[in-house]
RNA sequence: AGGACUAUAGCUCAGUUGGUUAGAGCGCUACCUUGACAUGGUAGAGGUCUCCAGUUCGAAUCUGGAUAGUCCUACCA
């Protein structure tokens, strides 16, 4: 083995070997265990969130595979309608073309081409992470099979009356020219104005205070062009007399009614609200209640139409409506129109006032454009009936969220769920399987042929398919069963469905998790016909942020690429990476400064295992995870520690008898102790897997490997292996323990650290008498209660106590670590005496002792530095070594600490309430503590008196 | 406006059903190149567990309130 751990030298080769041997495929034996990867966006590349969640999924997958399950980790990606179309359109733009120049079919070919060439970034990055996904079953939401599933689901939902088409207000993205769901809209607080305009009253009416106009307030003056009512609160005395009267809408000369509606808040603004039902969700509802006409004034770019369009609430155009708009507005961008409206009102003397106002502005999460509520024909899924069983499944525990608190988030959304707009005005995606005849009648079926036979349509009837595609999340919602071949392959669904756990972030509980649950429960049934869940558990991970708790984002320039952590990156490259392709190039200087400050040396190469271990250690139950590179460095050192421990084991076992061929074996105390401790670790690891506590698991492994196996056991093995007088049986026992405990540790750690464990395992496999080509298919260690040895553990605790005691004296007295010390033992029990005689060799080596002397009751002790191990006094004679004042200081410190503890415990024991009410075992424990402390205090005081007498 | 979450060492975080001498990584101090490892070893410093009140024999842990921060949902045009 190399002297230092070099991850880049080992990781690639093992992954290739695993993949080419197809060891990631389900074994076909044992209980099934299945995880569906949340399909990454095909345009995406690996970010910290992926690395985090995939580490957890891979750990679970490898763990269950090693436990003998028929394990499938299903991978794939989704087609990301808008994102992908955007990427390819940008590519076209560089060639000076638009998608319309190519036409739909050619454009889609082009997208496929792009997908083949560039869509696999994330797959190769997943290999770097060590993900043991079954690549032979990789799926893409636009694959034929998954597309069939999408059509099947759409048609069945339509036939079940759970999908319908309607003209409704949607969130319209005027850049991408498509509807987006309200989940894709980000509301951001921005500074704007509240403009107050005067609307003259018609027919000579006046307000209560004698004005011939009423004032309405708006943040979007351009929508005045579509006003069809003014609303006031029915209880508002100022306007009560005007209800039922009319105003003359300035510029348009339109007569619109004043209506009364509880929606209006008299306190806000002027207490009068202009109603624009075709351009505002609230106004739509108000308008509907009062029969105010829907007047649309915007086109798909959010520019003003040349003539407004009017509709009824069931979506029928009103032909006789006069859509004429004032001169100069047609074709104006909405924001220019806003300025013009304000100017025109001002010119007419109808601009009452302007007030600063902060408001929430809806923006598209991808385009960042201001989203416009816009009246269009769209397809919807009736969410309520589908949500009901999905709510029940969580209520009755068929699906459990981990941590449980997320169930509340889920319920609160599901109980107030809105119909889901599933159509998107894009080309890239699943085209909606609906056809129209010339009269606009709609026919839904799996294909045009099926539609013709299903609806008995004449062959001569011309049908055109709906131009729109389905929301990407529609196909993602089918992911757990469509990837298994539904509806064609029921057998795989039977084997792997329901899947075991979904590992995902809380940010997509609504987008995806809830919708998967709704779809799956509706389409997949158990043998008894009851709805089947997509997964039994939802493990919700925290969101990875930077070390200051900031969300990682390109514009903040604080994104960390997991691959950079694995391979390392120098600071110049990192700066270049973070400052290129910015939406706002002026941020570059700031980002560079911050990056150079945070990473003056760039990032060191840490390797995949260290990254994975770090991510696992961060997987606590919290909602946010602040990623600190310092933490990673610590765990990289841990990998190095494992590496060097393995080197030590190999140096002492290779070519020697480790009991792999049998032979008598005698186990030392240390051997029995570490084996016993290992059982405890195995129990802990098991428990942490079932509780999804990867942080506690990694901590348990870390502590055991470093603080027990390396710090103590390896050191304790040295006196045995270096003892020329030791018997073959004892040495064989220690070598065997050395190598077998290491081997078990490798298997325990393998699910989190696949590469280093494989590398070391292959080189110690034979010494540990194991067979197999890879650690990943070895059985996961299981605790054997018979090997738990409480006596051995207690004895080693005693040994450690003595050694630490001597080291403490050494450290605080500034005695050279290399100087052998004579040590005396006084006031010990028979048990202490036994332990001393059995472990003299360990003590001498580990504490560097020159001699060991047991003092009997009457033996005189020289003046010494003292350390207590229980009742036993460990004495290091002071002659020539120890400074009296220093020893006094050391003892005083110990005395103070112990006295404080004693006082605390005695306080408790003197409290009658405590003694009468606390459980007996707690009291017994406290008494024991008190006795121990009291004894220590006496001894320390005595010792201090002795020292004082010396002076 | 409603709801949720968080507050523990200088920094990033653990602390399982109330009983621990409150822990880890990084950082810090002193000493040490000892035959696995200086990406190391040994010893150490550092915390009134945000504040206030309550429940309890006993609170970092449970309850209420305050303060600060984060997020989600809904928004008043």
């Amino acid at each position: 083995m190399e002297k230092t751990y070099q991850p880049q030298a080992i990781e690639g080769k093992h992954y290739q070997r695993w993949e080419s041997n197809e060891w990631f495929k389900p074994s076909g034996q044992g209980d099934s265990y299945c995880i569906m990867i949340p399909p990454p966006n095909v345009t995406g590349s690996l970010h910290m969130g992926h690395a985090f969640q995939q580490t957890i999924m891979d750990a679970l997958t490898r763990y269950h595979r090693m436990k003998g399950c028929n394990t499938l980790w299903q991978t794939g990606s989704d087609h990301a309608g808008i994102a992908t179309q955007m990427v390819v359109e940008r590519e076209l733009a560089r060639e000076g073309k638009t998608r319309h120049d190519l036409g739909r079919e050619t454009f889609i070919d082009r997208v496929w081409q792009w997908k083949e060439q560039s869509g696999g970034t994330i797959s190769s990055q997943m290999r770097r992470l060590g993900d043991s996904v079954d690549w032979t079953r990789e799926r893409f939401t636009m694959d034929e099979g998954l597309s069939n599933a999408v059509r099947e689901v759409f048609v069945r939902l339509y036939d079940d009356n759970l999908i319908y088409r309607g003209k409704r207000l949607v969130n319209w993205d005027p850049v991408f020219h498509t509807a987006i769901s309200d989940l894709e809209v980000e509301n951001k607080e921005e500074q704007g104005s509240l403009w107050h305009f005067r609307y003259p009253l018609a027919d000579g009416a006046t307000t209560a205070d004698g004005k011939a106009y009423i004032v309405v307030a708006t943040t979007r003056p351009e929508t005045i062009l579509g006003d069809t009512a003014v609303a006031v609160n029915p209880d508002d005395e100022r306007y009560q007399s005007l209800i039922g009267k009319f105003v003359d809408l300035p510029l348009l000369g339109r007569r619109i009614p004043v209506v009364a509606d509880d929606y209006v808040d008299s306190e806000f603004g002027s207490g009068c609200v202009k109603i624009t039902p075709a351009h505002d969700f609230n106004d739509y509802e108000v308008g509907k209640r009062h029969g105010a006409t829907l007047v649309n004034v915007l086109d798909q770019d959010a520019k003003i139409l040349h003539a407004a369009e009017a509709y009824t609430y069931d979506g029928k155009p009103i032909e006789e409506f006069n859509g004429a708009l004032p001169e100069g507005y047609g074709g104006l961008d909405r924001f220019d129109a806003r300025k013009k409206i304000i100017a025109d009102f001002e010119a007419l003397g109808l601009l009452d006032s302007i007030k600063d106002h902060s408001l929430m502005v809806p923006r598209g999460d991808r385009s960042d454009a201001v989203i416009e509520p816009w009246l269009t024909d769209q397809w919807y899924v009736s969410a309520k009936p589908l949500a009901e069983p999905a709510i029940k499944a969580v209520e009755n525990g068929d699906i459990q969220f981990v941590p449980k608190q997320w169930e509340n988030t889920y319920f609160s959304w599901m109980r107030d769920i809105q119909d889901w707009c599933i159509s998107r005005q894009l080309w890239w995606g699943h085209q909606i399987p609906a056809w129209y005849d010339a009269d606009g009648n709609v026919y839904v079926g799996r294909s045009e042929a099926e539609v013709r036979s299903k609806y008995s349509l004449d062959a001569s009837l011309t049908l055109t398919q709906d131009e729109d595609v389905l929301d990407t999340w529609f196909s993602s919602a089918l992911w757990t069963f469509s990837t298994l071949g539904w509806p064609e392959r029921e057998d795989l669904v039977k084997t792997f469905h329901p899947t075991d756990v979904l590992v995902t972030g809380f940010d997509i509980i609504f987008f995806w998790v809830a919708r998967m649950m709704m779809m799956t429960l509706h389409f997949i049934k158990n043998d008894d016909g009851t709805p089947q869940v997509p997964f039994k558990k939802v493990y919700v991970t925290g969101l990875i942020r930077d070390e200051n708790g900031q969300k990682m984002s390109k514009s903040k320039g604080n994104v960390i690429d997991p691959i950079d952590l694995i391979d390392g990156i120098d600071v110049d490259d990192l700066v270049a990476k973070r400052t290129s392709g910015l939406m706002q190039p002026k941020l570059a200087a700031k980002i560079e400064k911050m990056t150079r400050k945070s990473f003056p040396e760039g990032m060191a190469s840490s390797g995949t295992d260290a990254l994975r271990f770090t991510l696992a250690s961060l997987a606590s139950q919290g909602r946010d995870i602040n990623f600190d590179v310092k933490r990673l460095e610590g765990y990289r050192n841990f990998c190095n520690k494992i590496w060097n421990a393995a080197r030590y084991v190999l140096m002492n076992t290779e070519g020697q008898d480790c009991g792999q061929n049998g032979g008598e074996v005698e186990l030392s105390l240390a051997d029995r102790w570490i084996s016993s401790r290992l059982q405890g670790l195995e129990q802990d690891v098991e428990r942490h897997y079932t509780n999804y506590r990867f942080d506690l698991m990694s901590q348990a492994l870390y502590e055991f490997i470093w603080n027990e196996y390396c710090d103590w056991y390896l050191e304790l093995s040295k006196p045995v292996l270096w003892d020329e007088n030791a018997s073959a049986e004892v040495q064989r026992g220690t070598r065997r323990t050395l190598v077998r405990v290491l081997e078990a540790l490798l298997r325990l750690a393998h699910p989190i650290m696949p590469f280093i464990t494989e590398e070391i395992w292959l080189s110690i496999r034979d010494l540990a008498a194991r067979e197999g080509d890879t650690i990943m298919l070895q059985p996961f260690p299981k605790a054997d209660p018979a090997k738990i040895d409480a006596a051995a553990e207690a004895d080693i605790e005693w040994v450690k106590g003595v050694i630490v005691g001597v080291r403490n004296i050494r450290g605080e007295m500034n005695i050279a670590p290399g100087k052998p010390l004579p040590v005396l033992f006084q006031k010990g029990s028979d048990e202490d005496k036994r332990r001393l005689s059995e472990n003299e060799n360990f003590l001498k080596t580990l504490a560097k002792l020159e001699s060991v002397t047991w003092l009997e009751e009457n033996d005189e002790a020289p003046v010494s530095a003292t350390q207590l191990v229980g009742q036993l006094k460990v004495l290091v004679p002071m002659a020539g070594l120890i400074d009296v004042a220093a020893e006094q200081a050391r003892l005083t410190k110990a005395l103070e600490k112990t006295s404080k503890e004693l006082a605390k415990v005695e306080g408790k024991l003197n409290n009658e309430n405590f003694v009468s009410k606390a459980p007996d075992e707690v009291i017994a424990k406290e008494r024991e503590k008190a006795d121990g402390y009291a004894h220590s205090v006496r001894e320390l005081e005595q010792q201090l008196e002795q020292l004082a007498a010396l002076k």
Side-chain angles (χ1 to χ4, degrees):
Chain A
M1 285 176 79
E2 294 293 325
K3 191 173 175 191
T4 51
Y5 164 61
Q6 286 168 315
Q8 55 279 17
I10 59 173
E11 293 179 352
K13 64 175 181 187
H14 290 306
Y15 196 89
Q16 277 164 22
R17 206 167 62 92
W18 294 334
E19 186 178 351
S20 62
N21 280 295
E22 300 198 329
W23 287 331
F24 300 153
K25 289 172 79 167
S27 62
Q29 276 157 18
D31 296 339
S32 74
Y33 184 84
C34 181
I35 295 180
M36 294 287 171
I37 201 170
N41 173 338
V42 67
T43 66
S45 59
L46 197 77
H47 58 61
M48 289 300 284
H50 292 130
F52 180 43
Q53 289 169 5
Q54 290 175 14
T55 294
I56 288 165
M57 283 182 259
D58 195 42
L60 286 167
T61 300
R62 287 178 183 271
Y63 168 69
H64 284 93
R65 191 185 289 121
M66 289 174 80
K67 286 190 69 161
C69 292
N70 184 27
T71 306
L72 170 63
W73 182 12
Q74 171 70 47
T75 190
S77 50
D78 79 34
H79 64 279
I82 296 183
T84 311
Q85 182 161 323
M86 222 168 99
V87 167
V88 177
E89 284 189 281
R90 266 209 300 257
E91 211 175 79
L92 286 176
R94 282 196 288 273
E95 300 164 19
K97 291 187 210 150
T98 70
R99 73 175 199 264
H100 300 280
D101 296 336
L102 272 68
R104 185 163 186 148
E105 223 170 294
T106 315
F107 177 76
I108 289 172
D109 285 345
R110 177 83 186 231
V111 178
W112 276 109
Q113 227 175 59
W114 174 89
K115 193 250 171 191
E116 295 313 320
Q117 282 162 14
S118 319
T121 308
I122 207 159
S123 300
S124 56
Q125 292 177 319
M126 285 169 65
R127 290 177 164 88
R128 294 297 314 277
L129 267 190
D131 290 351
S132 63
V133 296
D134 182 356
W135 290 110
T136 65
R137 292 173 202 245
E138 188 175 9
R139 293 287 180 275
F140 181 52
T141 45
M142 287 293 284
D143 283 349
E144 199 185 330
L146 274 70
S147 300
N148 281 341
V150 166
R151 272 191 295 276
E152 183 71 22
V153 163
F154 186 94
V155 172
R156 283 209 219 163
L157 285 175
Y158 181 81
D159 291 342
D160 293 343
N161 286 321
L162 291 166
I163 279 184
Y164 63 92
R165 188 165 185 266
K167 198 183 244 335
R168 297 269 204 87
L169 280 188
V170 294
N171 296 301
W172 183 261
D173 188 320
V175 171
F176 293 135
H177 294 160
T178 180
I180 59 177
S181 82
D182 49 4
L183 296 171
E184 290 159 300
V185 177
E186 284 177 355
N187 290 298
K188 294 179 188 166
E189 183 162 324
E190 292 178 22
Q191 278 310 311
S193 302
L194 192 58
W195 285 273
H196 291 65
F197 295 112
R198 296 176 179 174
Y199 281 12
L201 289 157
D203 310 321
T206 56
T207 60
D209 56 354
K211 296 205 175 76
Y213 58 85
I214 57 173
V215 175
V216 297
T218 181
T219 55
R220 295 193 299 153
E222 68 277 13
T223 62
I224 284 175
L225 300 173
D227 280 2
T228 52
V230 169
V232 297
N233 189 287
D235 299 327
D236 192 332
E237 290 177 5
R238 293 172 296 176
Y239 306 117
Q240 233 156 23
S241 66
L242 299 177
I243 297 167
K245 302 239 163 74
F246 291 84
V247 300
D248 288 319
L249 191 57
L251 300 182
L252 287 115
R254 188 185 300 149
R255 225 171 118 83
I256 59 176
V258 178
V259 300
D261 199 288
D262 288 331
Y263 159 75
V264 180
D265 175 2
S266 307
E267 304 297 316
F268 187 87
S270 62
C272 291
V273 185
K274 58 190 268 322
I275 299 298
T276 323
H279 292 289
D280 182 281
F281 291 102
N282 289 312
D283 289 8
Y284 182 93
E285 295 303 324
V286 176
K288 196 173 177 182
R289 284 196 285 273
H290 299 281
T293 312
L294 287 159
V295 173
N296 173 41
V297 299
L298 294 177
D299 69 8
Q300 61 167 5
D301 294 318
K303 288 183 180 152
I304 307 296
L305 289 168
H306 289 278
E309 303 160 345
Y311 297 93
T312 63
Y313 284 85
D314 41 12
K316 301 259 169 0
I318 304 174
E319 307 291 352
E320 63 276 19
F321 179 81
N322 175 11
L325 291 171
E327 194 61 40
Y329 281 91
L332 268 192
D333 178 78
R334 55 188 158 163
F335 298 111
D336 295 330
R338 175 176 301 178
K339 288 180 198 143
K340 186 165 165 59
I341 288 274
I342 296 163
D344 287 353
F345 267 75
E346 193 166 18
L348 292 169
L350 296 175
L351 176 59
D352 193 84
S353 62
I354 305 173
K355 296 199 169 73
D356 289 339
H357 183 67
S358 63
L359 70 163
M360 299 300 273
V361 176
R363 288 184 179 273
D365 62 358
R366 290 181 188 281
S367 65
D368 204 40
V370 175
I371 297 304
E372 203 62 54
W374 201 46
L375 203 58
T376 50
D377 291 308
Q378 302 288 349
W379 289 90
Y380 293 87
V381 170
S382 295
K384 282 251 184 308
L386 291 168
E388 249 172 69
I391 291 170
K392 273 200 203 108
V394 176
E395 281 172 343
N396 67 23
D398 290 346
I399 297 176
Q400 294 173 327
F401 281 74
V402 180
K404 202 169 173 54
Q405 58 194 29
W406 290 110
E407 290 181 3
N408 293 329
T409 311
Y410 171 81
F411 285 136
S412 71
W413 190 71
M414 288 298 269
R415 287 175 178 147
D416 188 34
I417 194 167
Q418 304 297 311
D419 284 356
W420 173 18
C421 175
I422 50 172
S423 41
R424 297 290 182 267
Q425 287 64 50
L426 304 172
W427 285 356
W428 175 238
H430 300 102
Q431 197 170 353
I432 292 174
W435 281 261
Y436 305 92
D437 61 22
D439 301 327
N441 293 309
V442 59
Y443 308 101
V444 169
R446 290 161 188 80
S447 63
E448 184 175 335
E450 186 187 282
V451 160
R452 287 187 188 275
S453 71
K454 182 173 167 186
Y455 294 93
S456 314
L457 303 177
D458 194 89
S460 64
L461 186 73
T462 307
L463 292 176
T464 41
Q465 189 173 357
D466 196 309
E467 294 271 299
D468 292 348
V469 300
L470 290 165
D471 183 6
T472 307
W473 295 104
F474 189 89
S475 46
S476 308
L478 321 179
W479 186 250
T480 64
F481 54 91
S482 65
T483 49
L484 292 173
W486 185 91
E488 285 87 18
R489 302 251 339 234
E490 294 286 346
D491 57 326
L492 285 178
V493 178
K494 275 221 155 22
T495 305
F496 292 111
H497 206 276
T499 67
D500 289 86
V501 58
L502 179 75
V503 178
T504 188
F506 61 81
D507 49 334
I508 56 172
I509 288 180
F510 309 140
F511 270 121
W512 188 49
V513 180
R515 286 167 179 174
M516 249 194 302
M517 288 162 63
M518 293 193 283
M519 290 298 198
T520 309
L521 287 161
H522 191 257
F523 284 100
I524 309 296
K525 303 296 171 193
N526 295 313
D527 290 339
D528 63 2
T530 54
Q532 186 169 110
V533 295
F535 29 71
K536 297 163 201 158
K537 290 237 159 76
V538 183
Y539 174 70
V540 181
T541 64
L543 235 50
I544 303 252
R545 299 167 179 280
D546 75 3
E547 73 275 17
N548 301 313
Q550 297 287 313
K551 212 166 169 170
M552 290 187 187
S553 74
K554 183 79 189 159
S555 61
K556 284 203 192 84
N558 61 349
V559 172
I560 293 177
D561 183 339
I563 302 296
D564 290 341
L565 295 173
I566 294 172
D567 292 338
I569 184 169
D570 70 45
V571 65
D572 293 328
D573 287 348
L574 182 60
V575 167
K577 200 166 169 172
R578 286 182 166 189
T579 53
S580 67
L582 286 171
M583 294 276 227
Q584 297 164 271
K586 60 181 177 186
L587 294 174
K590 200 175 140 197
I591 290 172
E592 168 157 11
K593 198 176 155 196
M594 186 212 74
T595 300
R596 288 189 186 279
K597 195 179 165 211
S598 302
F599 303 98
E601 313 288 328
M603 294 175 186
S605 158
S606 295
T608 298
D609 288 317
L611 174 63
R612 289 174 56 129
F613 196 87
T614 308
L615 292 169
S617 77
L618 295 173
S620 55
Q621 307 273 29
R623 209 186 48 179
D624 296 314
I625 291 160
N626 297 352
F627 187 87
D628 191 343
V629 178
K630 295 281 169 49
R631 209 63 194 266
L632 174 66
E633 286 169 15
Y635 293 124
R636 183 191 51 187
N637 296 350
F638 177 54
C639 291
N640 187 58
K641 189 76 178 175
I642 295 175
W643 184 261
N644 281 292
R647 283 182 64 225
Y648 168 80
V649 171
L650 268 178
M651 287 167 75
N652 287 285
T653 54
E654 214 165 14
Q656 306 204 53
D657 183 357
C658 305
Q660 59 271 57
N661 304 313
E664 280 299 302
V665 152
E666 189 184 330
L667 296 179
S668 74
L669 172 63
D671 296 336
R672 283 178 282 126
W673 165 74
I674 196 71
S675 298
S676 175
R677 299 289 298 154
L678 178 64
Q679 310 313 311
L681 174 68
E682 289 171 354
Q683 287 168 344
D684 289 346
V685 167
E686 187 79 40
R687 191 178 68 247
H688 294 139
Y689 268 111
T690 51
N691 296 334
Y692 299 92
R693 288 306 301 267
F694 302 94
D695 57 332
L696 299 180
M697 177 178 57
S698 57
Q699 197 184 330
L701 286 169
Y702 184 94
E703 276 177 6
F704 186 93
I705 292 174
W706 201 309
N707 301 341
E708 305 210 54
Y709 186 72
C710 291
D711 283 352
W712 287 103
Y713 182 67
L714 294 191
E715 295 306 321
L716 289 165
S717 74
K718 289 174 185 175
V720 177
L721 297 178
W722 296 349
D723 182 356
E724 285 163 15
N725 301 319
S727 71
E729 288 78 13
V730 168
Q731 290 201 330
R732 188 181 293 134
T734 290
R735 286 199 199 96
R736 194 180 79 171
T737 308
L738 210 48
V739 75
R740 291 194 183 183
V741 171
L742 174 63
E743 195 273 339
L745 289 173
L746 294 174
R747 281 183 286 134
L748 277 173
H750 177 259
I752 316 187
M753 312 168 97
F755 295 113
I756 188 173
T757 50
E758 175 77 312
E759 175 76 13
I760 299 172
W761 189 83
L762 288 172
S763 52
I764 65 160
R765 171 189 56 199
D766 297 340
L767 295 167
R770 296 203 75 92
E771 286 171 21
D773 296 322
T774 174
I775 191 175
M776 63 170 281
L777 301 177
Q778 293 295 306
F780 198 76
K782 201 168 170 0
D784 176 2
K787 287 187 180 161
I788 293 178
D789 186 340
E793 293 197 23
D795 280 3
I796 287 287
E797 277 316 303
W798 181 90
V799 170
K800 282 160 78 171
V802 173
I803 293 168
V804 167
V806 176
R807 283 179 183 167
N808 182 285
I809 291 171
R810 227 187 248 283
E812 298 215 19
M813 294 300 113
N814 273 324
I815 301 170
K819 183 171 180 58
L821 297 175
V823 171
L824 313 172
F825 294 84
Q826 193 184 29
K827 295 199 177 173
S829 62
D830 290 346
E831 180 86 331
D832 290 321
K833 196 170 180 180
R834 172 188 67 79
R835 284 169 165 163
L836 176 62
S837 69
E838 286 176 8
N839 297 297
E840 209 178 303
N841 196 17
F842 286 145
L843 297 182
K844 276 187 165 165
T845 313
L846 270 65
K848 265 261 155 56
L849 304 186
E850 176 188 271
S851 64
V852 165
T853 311
W854 180 263
L855 296 180
E856 294 298 343
E857 194 66 36
N858 302 321
D859 293 345
E860 193 82 1
V863 183
S864 305
T866 315
Q867 187 73 34
L868 294 166
V869 177
Q871 308 278 311
L872 176 70
K873 288 170 84 171
V874 179
L875 306 175
V876 177
M878 297 178 71
L881 277 176
I882 293 162
D883 166 7
V884 175
E887 173 65 359
Q888 278 175 321
R890 192 181 72 90
L891 291 179
T892 305
K893 195 171 78 182
L895 178 60
E896 273 170 12
K897 208 169 161 183
T898 314
S899 308
K900 236 166 85 182
E901 289 305 320
L902 177 61
K904 223 163 94 181
V905 177
E906 278 181 336
K908 266 189 193 175
L909 289 169
N910 291 335
N911 183 340
E912 272 179 45
N913 279 323
F914 174 72
V915 180
S916 60
K917 290 186 181 167
D920 291 344
E921 49 185 68
V922 173
I923 297 171
K925 215 167 124 190
E926 292 296 314
R927 279 199 208 290
E928 212 175 297
K929 272 201 302 200
D931 291 347
Y933 291 144
H935 176 260
S936 300
V937 166
R938 276 197 309 277
E939 290 290 346
L940 289 166
E941 281 170 349
Q942 253 179 43
Q943 200 63 28
L944 278 166
E945 279 167 28
Q946 269 189 29
L947 289 176
L950 267 184
K951 276 199 164 172

